[in-house]
Amino acid sequence: MSEMTVQVLEESLGKTVLVRLKGGRSLRGKLKGFDQHLNLVLEDSEDVSDSENIKKLGSIIVRGDNVVIISPPPR
Amino acid sequence: MSEMTVQVLEESLGKTVLVRLKGGRSLRGKLKGFDQHLNLVLEDSEDVSDSENIKKLGSIIVRGDNVVIISPPPR
Amino acid sequence: MSEMTVQVLEESLGKTVLVRLKGGRSLRGKLKGFDQHLNLVLEDSEDVSDSENIKKLGSIIVRGDNVVIISPPPR
Amino acid sequence: MSEMTVQVLEESLGKTVLVRLKGGRSLRGKLKGFDQHLNLVLEDSEDVSDSENIKKLGSIIVRGDNVVIISPPPR
Amino acid sequence: MSEMTVQVLEESLGKTVLVRLKGGRSLRGKLKGFDQHLNLVLEDSEDVSDSENIKKLGSIIVRGDNVVIISPPPR
Amino acid sequence: MSEMTVQVLEESLGKTVLVRLKGGRSLRGKLKGFDQHLNLVLEDSEDVSDSENIKKLGSIIVRGDNVVIISPPPR
Amino acid sequence: MSEMTVQVLEESLGKTVLVRLKGGRSLRGKLKGFDQHLNLVLEDSEDVSDSENIKKLGSIIVRGDNVVIISPPPR
């Protein structure tokens, strides 16, 4: 990963990120860890794909190859 | 994998995890083993894709590239 | 692969396993060999995708990247 | 990556690029970083897939394997 | 590949194998060569996907990543 | 890449190539760079998928894994 | 690649091969080069997917991961 990617992810640790997955699902949760494949550990996560039916997921591991976009929290 | 991912998975060993697969199926079972590809060994596992028709699968190996999300047990 | 995966597969050698493939097909056969990609050699195998129309396949090699789940025999 | 690819991306740093993704979505944002997998960091980004309904995304990381085309700014 | 896979393929050299491909096509031909990716060389091969319309293909190279199952000849 | 592939691409530098992508889109542009993954840099490029509605794309980077065929200019 | 694959491809250099691609398209052309990924250089090539509407493609590079089957010329 570029230094910039690592920096953005490190600055996001402990904060809420939005993750868009292949196939259209979106997750939101507190970023607790990541690696170079963009495998992610999220805490207090939710499936926010359907904004009228948000589902609690709790702590999860997301396999990186499903990730399209990660939105760090606004600074 | 990040240390955090390994830590979360190690803390989940012997406990029940929920695994969401590509294509929409969901599995639940006791985590007995994992590796860096997220290949998983689950015991007493069930296919819980259809909550009204849960199917016993027993002990299974899940090939990691099918995994989207792993939900460890709530702490 | 994790030691646990290898152990489960080694204990299954010579016994009947159920293999679910990407795309929905299921195979059943006696496990004769495996490698770290989950390439499998099955003997006396059958395509059990349609339980009312089981097809004999005999000895087969399954390319590992098609595998979703391997169910070892119950102990 | 070829030297030419790196050069084009480096010249685009800090400028607005258009990124077309697999599956048809298009993003626009200021390029802040990239690596050899074409993982991208974009700032002030927008989803411009539907030109009549542009959605603000803010700062994002795009996983490179989703990228089809990157259009640097016109010189 | 496991020794067992190599052994099964070596014993099949010069004999007729059935190869099922991703997407549903099936080929039959005399196995002339293979490698660890399951790239195959078949001779006197036929497309047997449609049993009422078998098409001669002659000698072919099959790229291994298309292979789902290889059925060696019955012993 | 084979020497022949490199030679064909090098001879095409600065000339107009046609690139067919997975999913059916076609691009045309002046080849400015390439690497071993077939990542391409094209200049003055156009999306020529629909011959009655050609769209200017300008300078672009094409991620190689989307490429099916590259047609160099006729000699 | 197996020696057999290399041998078959080397014997086909300068001769007309038929190439079937993922997604159903078929190409025919004179084989000018290949590498271990089955990237191919074809000369005087044609898209023969629709036998009633054969399209001239001229010299092309085919990215190997699109290849399903290569049929060398009959000996």
Side-chain angles (χ1 to χ4, degrees), chain B residues 4-73:
Chain B
M4 178 56 75
T5 308
V6 173
Q7 189 190 316
V8 171
L9 287 171
E10 282 187 345
E11 286 176 11
S12 303
L13 283 171
K15 299 182 187 143
T16 298
V17 298
L18 184 66
V19 182
R20 287 151 209 263
L21 302 182
K22 285 172 191 163
R25 286 169 76 183
S26 293
L27 308 174
R28 193 168 50 196
K30 216 177 283 178
L31 185 65
K32 299 300 286 182
F34 64 91
D35 64 20
Q36 81 275 17
H37 303 296
L38 291 184
N39 293 321
L40 305 174
V41 179
L42 300 179
E43 214 172 61
D44 297 335
S45 71
E46 301 169 314
D47 184 328
V48 297
S49 312
D50 175 358
S51 62
E52 301 194 355
N53 181 15
I54 290 174
K55 294 178 206 147
K56 299 266 177 213
L57 299 175
S59 291
I60 59 172
I61 294 162
V62 182
R63 199 176 193 268
D65 69 325
N66 299 288
V67 171
V68 182
I69 294 172
I70 304 173
S71 303

Side-chain angles (χ1 to χ4, degrees), chain D:
Chain D
M1 291 197 293
S2 72
E3 277 177 56
M4 178 57 75
T5 308
V6 174
Q7 189 191 316
V8 171
L9 287 170
E10 281 186 347
E11 286 175 11
S12 304
L13 284 170
K15 297 180 189 145
T16 298
V17 298
L18 184 66
V19 182
R20 287 150 209 262
L21 301 182
K22 285 173 190 162
R25 287 168 76 182
S26 294
L27 307 173
R28 193 169 50 196
K30 215 177 285 178
L31 185 66
K32 299 301 285 183
F34 65 90
D35 63 21
Q36 81 275 20
H37 304 296
L38 291 184
N39 292 322
L40 304 174
V41 180
L42 300 180
E43 214 172 62
D44 297 334
S45 70
E46 301 168 314
D47 184 328
V48 296
S49 312
D50 175 359
S51 61
E52 300 195 355
N53 182 14
I54 290 175
K55 294 178 204 146
K56 299 266 176 211
L57 300 175
S59 291
I60 58 173
I61 293 162
V62 182
R63 201 177 192 267
D65 70 325
N66 300 289
V67 171
V68 181
I69 294 172
I70 305 173
S71 304
R75 272 180 289 190

Side-chain angles (χ1 to χ4, degrees), chain A residues 17-36:
Chain A
V17 298
L18 184 66
V19 183
R20 287 151 209 261
L21 301 182
K22 285 173 189 162
R25 287 169 76 183
S26 293
L27 308 173
R28 193 169 50 196
K30 216 178 283 178
L31 185 66
K32 300 299 286 182
F34 65 89
D35 63 21
Q36 81 275 18

Side-chain angles (χ1 to χ4, degrees), chain A residues 2-72:
Chain A
S2 72
E3 276 177 56
M4 178 56 75
T5 308
V6 174
Q7 189 191 316
V8 171
L9 287 170
E10 281 186 346
E11 286 176 11
S12 303
L13 283 170
K15 299 182 187 142
T16 297
V17 298
L18 184 66
V19 183
R20 287 151 209 261
L21 301 182
K22 285 173 189 162
R25 287 169 76 183
S26 293
L27 308 173
R28 193 169 50 196
K30 216 178 283 178
L31 185 66
K32 300 299 286 182
F34 65 89
D35 63 21
Q36 81 275 18
H37 303 296
L38 291 184
N39 292 321
L40 305 174
V41 180
L42 300 180
E43 215 172 61
D44 298 334
S45 71
E46 301 169 314
D47 184 328
V48 297
S49 312
D50 175 358
S51 62
E52 300 195 355
N53 181 14
I54 290 175
K55 294 179 206 146
K56 298 265 177 212
L57 299 175
S59 291
I60 59 172
I61 294 162
V62 181
R63 199 176 193 268
D65 70 325
N66 299 288
V67 171
V68 182
I69 294 172
I70 305 173
S71 303

Side-chain angles (χ1 to χ4, degrees), chain C residues 45-63:
Chain C
S45 71
E46 301 168 314
D47 184 328
V48 296
S49 311
D50 175 358
S51 62
E52 300 194 354
N53 181 15
I54 290 175
K55 294 179 204 145
K56 298 266 177 212
L57 298 175
S59 291
I60 58 173
I61 293 162
V62 182
R63 200 175 193 269

Side-chain angles (χ1 to χ4, degrees), chain E residues 5-75:
Chain E
T5 308
V6 174
Q7 189 191 313
V8 170
L9 287 170
E10 281 186 347
E11 285 176 11
S12 303
L13 284 170
K15 298 180 186 144
T16 298
V17 298
L18 184 67
V19 182
R20 288 151 208 263
L21 301 182
K22 285 174 192 161
R25 286 170 76 183
S26 293
L27 308 173
R28 193 167 51 196
K30 216 177 283 176
L31 185 65
K32 299 300 286 182
F34 64 90
D35 63 21
Q36 81 274 18
H37 303 296
L38 291 183
N39 293 321
L40 305 173
V41 179
L42 300 179
E43 214 172 62
D44 297 335
S45 71
E46 301 169 313
D47 185 326
V48 297
S49 311
D50 175 357
S51 62
E52 300 194 355
N53 182 14
I54 290 175
K55 294 178 205 146
K56 299 266 177 213
L57 299 176
S59 291
I60 59 173
I61 293 163
V62 182
R63 200 176 193 268
D65 70 325
N66 300 289
V67 171
V68 182
I69 294 172
I70 305 173
S71 303
R75 274 180 289 191

Side-chain angles (χ1 to χ4, degrees), chain F residues 2 22 37 64 67-68 70 72, chain G residues 34-35 59-61 63 65-66:
Chain F
S2 72
K22 285 173 190 162
H37 304 297
V67 171
V68 181
I70 305 173
Chain G
F34 64 90
D35 63 21
S59 291
I60 58 173
I61 293 162
R63 200 177 193 267
D65 70 325
N66 300 289

